[in-house]
Amino acid sequence: MVNRLVRVPAPVVPGIADSVLDLQSGLLYVSGVYVPVPEDMEQSMRLTFEALEQALYRGGATFSSLVRVNVYIKHLDEEKLQAYRRVRDSLIDTANLPASTVVGVHSLYNNAVMEIDAIAAVDPDTATKLAEKHNQL
């Protein structure tokens, strides 16, 4: 029986999937990524986007593959929202932004400033290769 879901293991956090790829829909669901560097908010945000980019890559996608992004920012205010937009706009094609939500939260795991989870579309050939790589086809 062919497994419809391909689970990409998390390289750092044991016990979770870094992402799950649905072979039928071609959608990659990326678990929340964060970087605990609360001293420098913009640097933490940039590193979090870089961690998202790496998770997308491991799942066969890129920033341009993003369909949806959910962003959680600790103690969200206008200054942090503008910082988020500056960082995002420096890394992602602003002419082709994914659907997104930004949510202010009281706290995040491991004292992170920001966490992002995402959904990306993966090319069918890439999805098949990823399934074969993880022996899940």
Side-chain angles (χ1 to χ4, degrees):
M1 179 175 154
V2 175
N3 191 352
R4 175 179 164 179
L5 301 177
V6 177
R7 289 170 173 76
V8 180
V12 178
V13 181
I16 68 165
D18 189 47
S19 61
V20 176
L21 174 61
D22 179 344
L23 292 173
Q24 187 171 0
S25 69
L27 293 177
L28 177 74
Y29 298 86
V30 179
S31 295
V33 295
Y34 72 95
V35 177
V37 186
E39 305 83 36
D40 184 337
M41 180 182 54
E42 284 201 38
Q43 180 65 6
S44 179
M45 290 177 171
R46 183 169 301 285
L47 291 171
T48 300
F49 266 103
E50 289 174 7
L52 173 61
E53 185 174 36
Q54 292 168 7
L56 289 167
Y57 177 76
R58 286 188 294 275
T62 65
F63 281 148
S64 64
S65 308
L66 287 171
V67 175
R68 175 131 186 98
V69 175
N70 296 311
V71 179
Y72 309 92
I73 299 176
K74 185 176 172 182
H75 304 301
L76 179 64
D77 59 18
E78 189 61 30
E79 179 184 337
K80 289 180 181 175
L81 180 60
Q82 293 307 317
Y84 160 74
R85 287 179 176 158
R86 279 192 302 275
V87 171
R88 178 202 63 192
D89 293 354
S90 71
L91 298 169
I92 294 179
D93 177 9
T94 57
N96 296 297
L97 291 172
S100 65
T101 299
V102 177
V103 179
V105 296
H106 174 71
S107 64
L108 289 166
Y109 178 72
N110 210 11
N111 203 28
V113 171
M114 181 174 83
E115 185 170 337
I116 303 174
D117 64 62
I119 302 171
V122 176
D123 166 277
D125 291 336
T126 302
T128 300
K129 289 176 186 172
L130 186 69
E132 290 169 349
K133 174 182 176 183
H134 291 285
N135 298 316
Q136 296 179 28
L137 189 61

